[in-house]
Structures are given as structure tokens and as C-alpha cells.
């Protein structure tokens, strides 16, 4: 997505240079760059940089990102008719699976055994930003997913939840397994 926007910007810029109208279009070009490209470039650089931080620092930053992403998912669940917090754990898990299947292209499965749910995502990293920004994920990026799921499950179930990364895309290459447990 980012590369496509950059190509479009450069094509417009090249056209204006060839026409001799670049100076005239400079304010428009800067506005477009600031609105459409710079935010994505900044997020890509930010996410790449988080991959280079020590785990403690990365966790502080990615807690904020994960919770923001979790709020989006919780909003999606309420649009699907789910009450948050949900009195029905199975309905909550079904809504969560549906939400996870959007970025994974239908490759996500949530299963439940007692007070434990397991999320398995096949096909790569669970984070849609990794795909959209075309970055190589690091172990730190999994902290974002853990924080995201902790926020979603604690808010959705209205209780403390332990989230564990069982397998990662980085280790096995084609899937991710995460376990959520509550009392």
C-alpha cells in the first residue's frame, strides 16, 4: 500500500516537472505527502525501531499500540451485536475469531477448553500492520499482539487474563499460537 502511494506521488511529481508546473503544485504535493504518505512512513519507521529496542522498552510502547488496536477490535465486536463486557464467553470467543479472521484471510481459529482459549493463526504474522507496512517482524512485535489480546480479553470478559505466546510465526514460519487463560 505504501509503495503504491509513493509511486503515485512520484508519477504526479514527474508529470508536473515535465510540464514545468512543479512549483505551482508544490503546496498541493506537500499537503498530499503529509496526509497520505508521511504517516505510513513514520509508522513503518516506528515499528522497525521498536524491533530494535530491549524487550522492556518495546513492551511499554507496544502496550499502547496493542490497546489501541484492541479498542478497534472491541468496537467491531459491539457492531456485531456483542455486549462488552460479554456475559456469554462462547459468544465473545466467536466474535473474537470473526474479528481475527479479517486480517488473516480466514486463517484464524479460536478454541476453548474450560477457562482457556487458544488462538491459532495460519499463514504468517498475526499483525495486519506487518503486512500493510511490509516490514520484517521481530520478537518484539509479538509483544504488541500479547498486549492487544490481553486488553481485548480483559475488557471483553471483565476479569484478569493471562496471555501466553505458545508458537510464533518467527519460530515455525507459517503460524502463531496464543493462549488466553482466566478464572
Amino acid at each position: 500500500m505504501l509503495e503504491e502511494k509513493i509511486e503515485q506521488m512520484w508519477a504526479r511529481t514527474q508529470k508536473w516537472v515535465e510540464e514545468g508546473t512543479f512549483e505551482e503544485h508544490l503546496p498541493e504535493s506537500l499537503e498530499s505527502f503529509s496526509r497520505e504518505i508521511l504517516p505510513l512512513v513514520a509508522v513503518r519507521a516506528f515499528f522497525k525501531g521498536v524491533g530494535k529496542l530491549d524487550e522492556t522498552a518495546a513492551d511499554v510502547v507496544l502496550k499502547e499500540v496493542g490497546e489501541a488496536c484492541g479498542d478497534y477490535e472491541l468496537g467491531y465486536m459491539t457492531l456485531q451485536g456483542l455486549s462488552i463486557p460479554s456475559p456469554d464467553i462462547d459468544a465473545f470467543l466467536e466474535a473474537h475469531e470473526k474479528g481475527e479472521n479479517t486480517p488473516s484471510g480466514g486463517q484464524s481459529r479460536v478454541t476453548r477448553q474450560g477457562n482457556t482459549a487458544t488462538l491459532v493463526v495460519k499463514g504468517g504474522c498475526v499483525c495486519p500492520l506487518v503486512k500493510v507496512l511490509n516490514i520484517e517482524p521481530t520478537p518484539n512485535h509479538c509483544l504488541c499482539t500479547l498486549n492487544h489480546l490481553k486488553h481485548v480479553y480483559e475488557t471483553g470478559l471483565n476479569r484478569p487474563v493471562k496471555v501466553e505466546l505458545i508458537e510464533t510465526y518467527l519460530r515455525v514460519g507459517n503460524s502463531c499460537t496464543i493462549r488466553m487463560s482466566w478464572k
Side-chain angles (χ1 to χ4, degrees), residues 49-176:
V50 164
K52 297 173 185 172
L53 295 174
D54 67 72
E55 186 175 331
T56 303
D59 192 48
V60 168
V61 173
L62 292 176
K63 183 176 191 290
E64 296 295 325
V65 176
E67 287 180 3
C69 190
D71 285 340
Y72 176 83
E73 187 166 0
L74 290 163
Y76 173 76
M77 290 175 166
T78 61
L79 288 175
Q80 300 300 310
L82 188 71
S83 296
I84 300 293
S86 177
D88 183 345
I89 292 173
D90 290 325
F92 172 79
L93 296 176
E94 184 179 324
H96 177 232
E97 181 178 84
K98 187 184 259 188
E100 291 293 333
N101 270 313
T102 301
S104 75
Q107 298 293 309
S108 298
R109 295 293 167 260
V110 176
T111 56
R112 177 182 178 196
Q113 189 170 10
N115 287 344
T116 300
T118 302
L119 167 65
V120 177
V121 181
K122 294 193 177 183
C125 183
V126 251
C127 179
L129 272 179
V130 167
K131 291 176 188 169
V132 169
L133 298 173
N134 192 24
I135 64 167
E136 192 62 37
T138 70
N140 279 354
H141 294 106
C142 296
L143 297 170
C144 191
T145 301
L146 293 177
N147 283 307
H148 164 87
L149 291 172
K150 185 170 182 59
H151 178 64
V152 168
Y153 274 71
E154 286 186 345
T155 304
L157 300 178
N158 197 30
R159 61 188 82 183
V161 176
K162 180 181 179 183
V163 182
E164 302 170 87
L165 192 60
I166 306 303
E167 279 297 337
T168 71
Y169 156 75
L170 298 170
R171 281 186 259 171
V172 289
N174 63 356
S175 69
C176 181

Side-chain angles (χ1 to χ4, degrees), residues 3-72:
E3 284 75 15
E4 182 180 301
K5 288 187 176 288
I6 290 172
E7 283 179 33
Q8 291 170 356
M9 181 194 74
W10 284 120
R12 278 193 317 268
T13 301
Q14 188 173 26
K15 177 183 166 234
W16 293 333
V17 168
E18 289 170 2
E19 293 173 345
T21 61
F22 177 73
E23 293 292 325
E24 170 185 327
H25 289 284
L26 187 57
E28 172 188 343
S29 180
L30 288 173
E31 174 67 23
S32 173
F33 175 77
S34 297
R35 234 179 322 101
E36 298 175 25
I37 295 173
L38 185 58
L40 293 173
V41 170
V43 169
R44 178 191 274 172
F46 165 78
F47 245 64
K48 280 181 165 182
V50 164
K52 297 173 185 172
L53 295 174
D54 67 72
E55 186 175 331
T56 303
D59 192 48
V60 168
V61 173
L62 292 176
K63 183 176 191 290
E64 296 295 325
V65 176
E67 287 180 3
C69 190
D71 285 340
Y72 176 83

